[in-house]
Amino acid sequence: MTQTEQKTINGAEILVEALIRQGAEAIFAYPGGASMPLHQALTFRSDVLRTILPRHEQGGAFAAQGYARATGKVGLCMATSGPGATNLVTGLADAKMDSVPIIAITGQVPQAVIGTDAFQETPIVEVCRAITKHHYMITRFEDIPRIVKEAYYVATTGRPGPVLIDFPKNLQLQTRLGHPDYDPPMNLPGYRPIRARSVHADQIREILRELRRSRRPILYVGGGVIHADAAEELTRFALRADLPVAMTVMGLGAFPASHPNSLHMLGMHGTVYSNYAIDAADLILALGVRFDDRVTGKLSEFARHARIVHVDVDPSEIHKNKFAHVALVANVREVLQALNALITDEDVPDTAAWWSQIREWKSQFPLGWKDAGDQILPQYAISELHRQTRDSDFFLTVGVGQHQMWAAQFYGFDKPRRWFSSSGLGTMGFGLPAAMGVQVAFPQATVVDVDGDGSFLMNVQELATLHCEKIPVKILLLNNQHLGMVVQWEDRFHEGNRAHTYLGPIDHPEAVGEGTGEMREETYPNFVQIAQGFGVAARQVRRKQDFPDALAEMLAYPGPYLLEAVCPYQEHVLPMIPGGKTVRDIIVE
Ligand SMILES: Cc1ncc(C[n+]2csc(CCOP(=O)(O)OP(=O)(O)O)c2C)c(N)n1
Ligand SMILES: [Mg+2]
């Protein structure tokens, strides 16, 4: 292009173009004074990059996460300076904990007034320093393309995570003639996430030697396996060596739940058999996991009899909580590929006795629930959801609480990237906006947010986004009128004293635990009316006999839909290993 043909473009347009060159197709962005030039620029490229207006920046951050978790690609969100930026903070902290590659772009006040407490100024880079993988404030106009390129690289390589780009308004408005180079060299000294030939055959043989010598081996797999798209290789390896597989909340779907080798979820609310098996194992192959306290309970007691092989892409996870006898810093998919290539029949240990023990535990302690007449138990509702959706293109998100754990226990995920839960941070309000992001990535799929009444209210405003942006997310609201998970802890550890865990009016006897316990009365708030007010179809069901048809009606509905199931609050999520305790303290009944 000659000089005369070149158009003047500004910094905001350069940033938007740079995102598009990285493959961006959707951004969840809420405007304000310091980000208006960016929004103007987004309108010029709406043919390739869809801008979705969430109704709260936190919703935007979680939608970006839903998009990223479902696709493995970068999720994008944007906010203005000050309150817009601080509204993203929880979503960023959440993405850091669960290793989700999102990029958050924030408008910032003009450079000339930074540090003066200018209107809507917050030092968002400082605020987010410890909860992002990396963070930028753009300080030079010519750095814009390099910073966007680096942000994508940092977010998606090694252990994925969130990156913040803070963008002062004067640089958004600064102009130049024609496009800059969008593929400049990066400048990331010290960041070497991809080691050349990180997996050596010797290391793989060392792992296989451990396997060969073991009698009670187990695979303990987590989100790292999903993030590395290693589920297929994992399944191949588990079946080749006939190993039992226990999964973390983040790892569900890495190995098919319906396969007999699955021990399902591990940890505080995991299955008895997976926790017993980890406790009795003599070899733990820990892949893409971080020995989180919700898995280990009391660390000194966890897996006392086992040798531990730990594979993780992040060197800071190795020996962090638990010493690993064999440690390998590497991409877990490459490790599994190498294991599958090198394993021989001699490496497969004799596990006949081990398997007969595990089968005994499985038949002795199956996951289940006691039916409760015509009441809709959450466990039942989730099993029915599974029955009606298992053969479809289906994704499930959750809030945080009992409903989340029951979904983890009873849905039975057979594939990776189908189940999305705020796991490390445990953020109520995750479910609805995350579902929105998943649905934007997969418009034809069925996306259901299984939510709790407390969690749902935390981002209820996103119902407006569903309606206005025509995003057909379904919500299965398990309304127990309580902060159920906290109620459960009150019941177990505080003699059932109710301390602000009832979600109806405070003069209701149930607020102090003195109600009849019946769920036959009016529920509060009126979720059906709320949904309808936002233009979202809705229905309440109270009787089990009505549930299957009501669910089928929702799943068949073309637009967004809320199905509120009124559930009893007296149920507890079991099994349960109380925090800091051991498998010997497991509560089964
Ligand atoms: C933002 C946030 N605040 C508080 C908590 C603490 N917390 C964890 S579970 C829970 C109860 C959730 O209630 P609800 O969404 O109705 O789910 P339920 O347990 O009843 O299924 C609370 C308050 C949290 N995890 N996140
Ligand atoms: Mg609840």
Side-chain angles (χ1 to χ4, degrees):
M1 221 188 261
T2 63
Q3 196 76 4
T4 49
E5 288 170 289
Q6 286 188 334
K7 270 176 44 187
T8 297
I9 65 170
N10 68 22
E13 289 160 351
I14 292 169
L15 183 125
V16 168
E17 189 61 33
L19 297 176
I20 290 169
R21 306 260 175 136
Q22 291 291 336
E25 35 180 46
I27 183 166
F28 299 88
Y30 202 102
S35 65
M36 280 184 65
L38 286 161
H39 279 264
Q40 291 295 312
L42 283 168
T43 65
F44 306 145
R45 299 309 312 272
S46 58
D47 51 331
V48 272
L49 175 52
R50 177 178 179 189
T51 302
I52 291 144
L53 175 69
R55 267 36 177 194
H56 187 295
E57 290 87 351
Q58 185 181 106
F62 284 138
Q65 274 207 38
Y67 182 94
R69 289 181 192 236
T71 61
K73 297 192 283 190
V74 165
L76 291 172
C77 56
M78 185 186 284
T80 189
S81 66
T86 55
N87 276 348
L88 294 176
V89 168
T90 302
L92 287 167
D94 192 280
K96 178 75 160 37
M97 284 287 251
D98 287 352
S99 309
V100 182
I102 63 170
I103 295 176
I105 297 147
T106 49
Q108 182 54 280
V109 299
Q111 283 171 299
V113 295
I114 286 177
T116 68
D117 290 342
F119 178 65
Q120 295 195 326
E121 181 187 4
T122 50
I124 196 65
V125 167
E126 280 67 28
V127 169
C128 294
R129 203 176 288 286
I131 55 159
T132 47
K133 184 176 174 188
H134 199 34
H135 33 262
Y136 293 92
M137 181 191 278
I138 303 179
T139 56
R140 299 186 322 163
F141 180 72
E142 53 279 20
D143 290 342
I144 300 168
R146 176 180 59 80
I147 285 174
V148 171
K149 183 179 170 189
E150 288 178 6
Y152 270 82
Y153 182 70
V154 172
T156 53
T157 49
R159 180 182 188 164
V163 178
L164 171 73
I165 302 176
D166 197 24
F167 195 0
K169 188 171 180 180
N170 61 303
L171 297 179
Q172 296 176 37
L173 293 169
Q174 190 173 327
T175 57
R176 58 168 276 151
L177 216 51
H179 284 284
D181 174 11
Y182 288 103
D183 196 19
M186 295 192 287
N187 179 20
L188 291 166
Y191 182 67
R192 274 182 222 91
I194 300 165
R195 286 144 211 263
R197 295 195 301 122
S198 61
V199 182
H200 291 270
D202 285 351
Q203 295 169 305
I204 299 303
R205 286 196 197 96
E206 197 182 348
I207 297 175
L208 291 173
R209 256 198 313 278
E210 294 283 345
L211 180 63
R212 198 181 317 156
R213 286 199 214 105
S214 73
R215 286 298 166 266
R216 297 185 306 280
I218 186 170
L219 280 159
Y220 156 33
V221 307
V225 171
I226 310 246
H227 291 316
D229 290 318
E232 240 182 86
E233 294 290 346
L234 169 79
T235 302
R236 246 180 84 193
F237 180 66
L239 299 186
R240 175 73 173 86
D242 196 20
L243 300 174
V245 187
M247 285 162 278
T248 69
V249 173
M250 284 293 293
L252 294 178
F255 184 83
S258 57
H259 193 283
N261 280 40
S262 176
L263 303 192
H264 307 114
M265 188 168 71
L266 182 67
M268 180 178 274
H269 291 300
T271 56
V272 172
Y273 42 89
S274 72
N275 285 306
Y276 277 12
I278 277 276
D279 184 57
D282 66 355
L283 174 67
I284 295 178
L285 300 173
L287 309 181
V289 295
R290 56 191 179 83
F291 296 86
D292 176 67
D293 57 84
R294 282 294 191 268
V295 161
T296 64
K298 190 173 181 185
L299 254 182
S300 56
E301 294 291 307
F302 179 74
R304 273 181 314 167
H305 316 288
R307 289 184 55 85
I308 294 178
V309 173
H310 191 185
V311 179
D312 204 283
V313 75
D314 180 356
S316 70
E317 286 300 340
I318 305 291
H319 309 314
K320 184 182 86 177
N321 289 335
K322 196 79 192 169
F323 174 77
H325 303 86
V326 177
L328 186 45
V329 176
N331 177 298
V332 68
R333 187 177 33 164
E334 287 172 30
V335 172
L336 282 162
Q337 277 165 350
L339 282 167
N340 284 327
L342 293 182
I343 191 170
T344 65
D345 288 344
E346 284 83 78
D347 297 323
V348 177
D350 175 6
T351 52
W354 180 225
W355 268 115
S356 84
Q357 171 70 79
I358 291 174
R359 278 191 209 104
E360 195 182 312
W361 286 329
K362 274 189 138 179
S363 67
Q364 202 179 346
F365 303 105
L367 273 181
W369 68 89
K370 287 198 195 76
D371 223 34
D374 72 342
Q375 298 192 86
I376 302 171
L377 292 189
Q379 303 94 311
Y380 157 76
I382 289 157
S383 304
E384 179 62 21
L385 178 66
H386 179 242
R387 202 183 63 78
Q388 292 196 20
T389 56
R390 67 182 157 214
D391 297 324
S392 59
D393 186 12
F394 179 78
F395 298 85
L396 192 158
T397 68
V398 283
V400 171
Q402 292 183 311
H403 64 280
Q404 171 195 32
M405 289 296 110
W406 280 316
Q409 290 180 336
F410 293 105
Y411 190 86
F413 295 93
D414 278 338
K415 288 189 274 187
R417 294 195 191 278
R418 297 279 158 169
W419 144 259
F420 311 107
S421 159
S422 165
S423 304
L425 202 64
T427 312
M428 291 171 66
F430 174 87
L432 177 59
M436 214 160 84
V438 176
Q439 187 84 75
V440 166
F442 297 99
Q444 306 306 323
T446 303
V447 183
V448 176
D449 164 32
V450 172
D451 225 329
D453 46 328
S455 295
F456 179 65
L457 269 187
M458 287 216 175
N459 274 314
V460 69
Q461 75 287 340
E462 300 309 330
L463 287 175
T465 315
L466 299 187
H467 173 77
C468 296
E469 302 271 353
K470 315 212 178 319
I471 303 171
V473 162
K474 314 291 186 261
I475 300 133
L476 173 56
L477 182 64
L478 300 173
N479 183 3
N480 56 11
Q481 284 285 277
H482 285 76
L483 299 171
M485 186 55 95
V486 187
V487 166
Q488 174 167 342
W489 286 46
E490 286 172 347
D491 289 347
R492 296 271 166 194
F493 313 118
H494 301 278
E495 289 88 40
N497 184 35
R498 293 285 166 266
H500 326 112
T501 48
Y502 176 63
L503 291 171
I506 56 166
D507 54 359
H508 193 288
E510 208 64 73
V512 287
E514 288 171 0
T516 61
E518 285 293 311
M519 295 297 291
R520 286 286 168 266
E521 355 179 348
E522 287 269 289
T523 46
Y524 179 89
N526 189 325
F527 284 111
V528 169
Q529 274 183 9
I530 289 174
Q532 287 167 348
F534 280 107
V536 170
R539 174 177 171 189
Q540 186 190 69
V541 277
R542 286 168 173 263
R543 295 186 314 168
K544 185 178 171 189
Q545 66 198 80
D546 299 330
F547 185 75
D549 286 349
L551 183 64
E553 181 183 310
M554 170 165 86
L555 294 170
Y557 193 78
Y561 191 110
L562 174 112
L563 176 62
E564 178 194 16
V566 177
C567 306
Y569 69 85
Q570 291 87 349
E571 288 294 297
H572 284 187
V573 180
L574 295 174
M576 176 178 192
I577 301 175
K581 294 286 176 77
T582 77
V583 68
R584 274 158 291 284
D585 306 301
I586 198 162
I587 303 166
V588 181
E589 292 273 348

